[in-house]
Each structure stands twice: as structure tokens, then as C-alpha cells.
Amino acid sequence: MKLFYSPGACSIGIHILLEEIGAPFEIEKISLRDGAHFQPAFTAVNPKSKVPTLVRDDGSVLTEFPAIAYYLAQTNPAAKLWPEGVEAQARALEIIDYIVATIHMQGFSRMFAPAKFAPSDADHDKVKKRGLEIFEAGLSTLDQALAGKEYAVGPFSIADAALFYIEFWRMGGKLPLPANLAGHYARMLARPAVARVLQKEGFA
Ligand SMILES: N[C@@H](CCC(=O)N[C@@H](CS)C(=O)NCC(=O)O)C(=O)O
């Protein structure tokens, strides 16, 4: 298996899941900053020009964070990445969808790619401001959901890998996290798999 990632992008969550599983895998850096995701060598693999992109052992390509996380969890049951019981499973999916579809796509994307939301440069500051509001409201909602919990829905699961990437973005910006997320982020940093990923992606 090979993961195409960009350092510190949302692909870091999938990278963590692969490290948690512990089976051999390859990684290939696609620097979003350098526009490598638009180069033919990568669009031939994923025409969506997005990371995470997973190429499986049979050569087939899987995209979209929730789909990749679900696939890895289901195909590696010993790693216990998929929560037990329908309630915890539904809650994990609820958190992942909120992170991907709302906090990331609606909030963070407005902050980092305002041109996708407003063609005129004159509107970009407003778009970025709205993105930050959505991002912060999302963090606050998730902080409440994490109250009294070590991990998102019980033991470590795919939901925690998604949570980590938005926590990482916040701390990368050196802005504080709300208390429950700060505790979760610290627990994530203490996991050996997370430490290995941060080192491999050039953050340690
Ligand atoms: N919905 C996708 C989002 C993936 C995504 O937007 N990834 C970002 C990096 S965090 C990316 O590749 N952006 C490049 C671009 O949009 O040009 C998923 O869940 O995997």
C-alpha cells in the first residue's frame, strides 16, 4: 500500500492510522505548497488532485478521508480502529463527517483557498474571516462532545485520527485549543504512532 500525503495536511490522519496498524506501507510526498497535486504524475493517480490518496496492493486507488479510514479499519480488525457497537460507530461517523464536511471544507478551506468561494480579491478577507468563524465554532462543538472523554468515542478509533488533523492545524497556527481538545491532542501526541508520523512528515 502507498499513501500519497502532503506534510501536515489532512492526510496526516490517515498516515497515523497506517502507523497504528503497524503493517508495512509506503509514503510518497505530494507537496501542496509546490502544486505537486496538479502535476500529471499525480493526477494520473488521483484526478481529484487531493490528498489523502491511498493506492492499495492490487493497484486500485481509494480517496476521501472517511472512505480510506473505514477501509483501513475494516481490513485490519486487530488494530481495533473501528469502534465496537452501533452507537459508537454512528458517533464516530458523525464526528468524522462534521470534521471533513464542515470544519475542513467549509471553515479551513475558506481560510486557505478563499478564491474557491469568492472570485473577487476584494472579498477574500471577508471569506477568510467567515472561515475562521466556522472553524472556531466547530472546535467549540467538538470540545463539548469530548467532555469527560479520553478519546472521541471510547478507545482510540478512526474518529481520533480525524480530530487530530484539525487540532494539529490549530496548534500549527500556535492558537490555543479549548480544554477538552487540548487534552485529547496531548494524548494523541503521546502515542508512539503519532510521534513517528510527525517525525516522518518533518515536524519533529
Ligand atoms: N473530502 C476530501 C478532502 C481532501 C482535501 O481537501 N485535501 C486537501 C489537503 S488537507 C487537498 O488535497 N487540497 C488540495 C486542493 O484542494 O487543491 C477528503 O476527505 O479526503
Side-chain angles (χ1 to χ4, degrees), residues 13 87 95 97 144 155 165 176 183:
E87 177 61 21
I95 286 174
D97 191 61
Q144 288 163 40
Y165 84 71

PDB file of all heavy atoms in Angstrom, residues 13 87 95 97 144 155 165 176 183:
ATOM      1  N   GLY A  13      -3.896  12.321   9.212  1.00  0.00           N
ATOM      2  CA  GLY A  13      -4.770  11.420   9.963  1.00  0.00           C
ATOM      3  C   GLY A  13      -4.705   9.998   9.416  1.00  0.00           C
ATOM      4  O   GLY A  13      -4.671   9.024  10.186  1.00  0.00           O
ATOM      5  N   GLU A  87     -23.860   2.286  18.334  1.00  0.00           N
ATOM      6  CA  GLU A  87     -23.907   3.657  18.847  1.00  0.00           C
ATOM      7  C   GLU A  87     -22.545   4.343  18.672  1.00  0.00           C
ATOM      8  O   GLU A  87     -22.469   5.468  18.145  1.00  0.00           O
ATOM      9  CB  GLU A  87     -24.341   3.653  20.319  1.00  0.00           C
ATOM     10  CG  GLU A  87     -24.358   5.020  20.986  1.00  0.00           C
ATOM     11  CD  GLU A  87     -25.332   6.025  20.332  1.00  0.00           C
ATOM     12  OE1 GLU A  87     -26.269   5.596  19.631  1.00  0.00           O
ATOM     13  OE2 GLU A  87     -25.129   7.251  20.529  1.00  0.00           O
ATOM     14  N   ILE A  95     -18.765  12.415  13.979  1.00  0.00           N
ATOM     15  CA  ILE A  95     -17.618  13.304  14.222  1.00  0.00           C
ATOM     16  C   ILE A  95     -16.778  13.464  12.957  1.00  0.00           C
ATOM     17  O   ILE A  95     -16.383  14.577  12.582  1.00  0.00           O
ATOM     18  CB  ILE A  95     -16.764  12.758  15.394  1.00  0.00           C
ATOM     19  CG1 ILE A  95     -17.501  13.009  16.712  1.00  0.00           C
ATOM     20  CG2 ILE A  95     -15.377  13.389  15.417  1.00  0.00           C
ATOM     21  CD1 ILE A  95     -16.841  12.406  17.929  1.00  0.00           C
ATOM     22  N   ASP A  97     -17.630  13.115   9.811  1.00  0.00           N
ATOM     23  CA  ASP A  97     -18.317  13.904   8.779  1.00  0.00           C
ATOM     24  C   ASP A  97     -18.318  15.387   9.140  1.00  0.00           C
ATOM     25  O   ASP A  97     -18.131  16.249   8.279  1.00  0.00           O
ATOM     26  CB  ASP A  97     -19.750  13.405   8.570  1.00  0.00           C
ATOM     27  CG  ASP A  97     -20.367  14.035   7.328  1.00  0.00           C
ATOM     28  OD1 ASP A  97     -19.827  13.814   6.234  1.00  0.00           O
ATOM     29  OD2 ASP A  97     -21.345  14.796   7.453  1.00  0.00           O
ATOM     30  N   GLN A 144     -17.131  20.292  23.323  1.00  0.00           N
ATOM     31  CA  GLN A 144     -18.232  19.857  24.201  1.00  0.00           C
ATOM     32  C   GLN A 144     -18.459  18.351  24.071  1.00  0.00           C
ATOM     33  O   GLN A 144     -18.717  17.660  25.056  1.00  0.00           O
ATOM     34  CB  GLN A 144     -19.504  20.610  23.854  1.00  0.00           C
ATOM     35  CG  GLN A 144     -19.460  22.074  24.286  1.00  0.00           C
ATOM     36  CD  GLN A 144     -20.512  22.918  23.590  1.00  0.00           C
ATOM     37  OE1 GLN A 144     -21.640  22.477  23.409  1.00  0.00           O
ATOM     38  NE2 GLN A 144     -20.142  24.120  23.194  1.00  0.00           N
ATOM     39  N   PRO A 155     -12.362   3.850  23.220  1.00  0.00           N
ATOM     40  CA  PRO A 155     -10.941   3.690  22.924  1.00  0.00           C
ATOM     41  C   PRO A 155     -10.577   4.377  21.606  1.00  0.00           C
ATOM     42  O   PRO A 155     -11.461   4.691  20.806  1.00  0.00           O
ATOM     43  CB  PRO A 155     -10.767   2.170  22.798  1.00  0.00           C
ATOM     44  CG  PRO A 155     -11.991   1.566  23.394  1.00  0.00           C
ATOM     45  CD  PRO A 155     -13.083   2.571  23.265  1.00  0.00           C
ATOM     46  N   TYR A 165      -6.155  15.904  13.027  1.00  0.00           N
ATOM     47  CA  TYR A 165      -5.649  16.800  11.988  1.00  0.00           C
ATOM     48  C   TYR A 165      -6.157  18.228  12.148  1.00  0.00           C
ATOM     49  O   TYR A 165      -5.421  19.172  11.882  1.00  0.00           O
ATOM     50  CB  TYR A 165      -5.812  16.220  10.572  1.00  0.00           C
ATOM     51  CG  TYR A 165      -7.115  16.365   9.826  1.00  0.00           C
ATOM     52  CD1 TYR A 165      -7.556  17.583   9.311  1.00  0.00           C
ATOM     53  CD2 TYR A 165      -7.883  15.241   9.531  1.00  0.00           C
ATOM     54  CE1 TYR A 165      -8.730  17.693   8.579  1.00  0.00           C
ATOM     55  CE2 TYR A 165      -9.060  15.334   8.799  1.00  0.00           C
ATOM     56  CZ  TYR A 165      -9.478  16.560   8.326  1.00  0.00           C
ATOM     57  OH  TYR A 165     -10.638  16.664   7.590  1.00  0.00           O
ATOM     58  N   PRO A 176      -4.400  28.534  20.792  1.00  0.00           N
ATOM     59  CA  PRO A 176      -4.754  27.530  21.791  1.00  0.00           C
ATOM     60  C   PRO A 176      -6.004  26.744  21.400  1.00  0.00           C
ATOM     61  O   PRO A 176      -6.868  27.250  20.688  1.00  0.00           O
ATOM     62  CB  PRO A 176      -4.998  28.353  23.049  1.00  0.00           C
ATOM     63  CG  PRO A 176      -5.287  29.724  22.575  1.00  0.00           C
ATOM     64  CD  PRO A 176      -4.568  29.916  21.281  1.00  0.00           C
ATOM     65  N   GLY A 183      -6.534  18.421  25.829  1.00  0.00           N
ATOM     66  CA  GLY A 183      -6.226  17.156  26.491  1.00  0.00           C
ATOM     67  C   GLY A 183      -6.142  16.015  25.486  1.00  0.00           C
ATOM     68  O   GLY A 183      -5.242  15.167  25.543  1.00  0.00           O
TER      69      GLY A 183
END
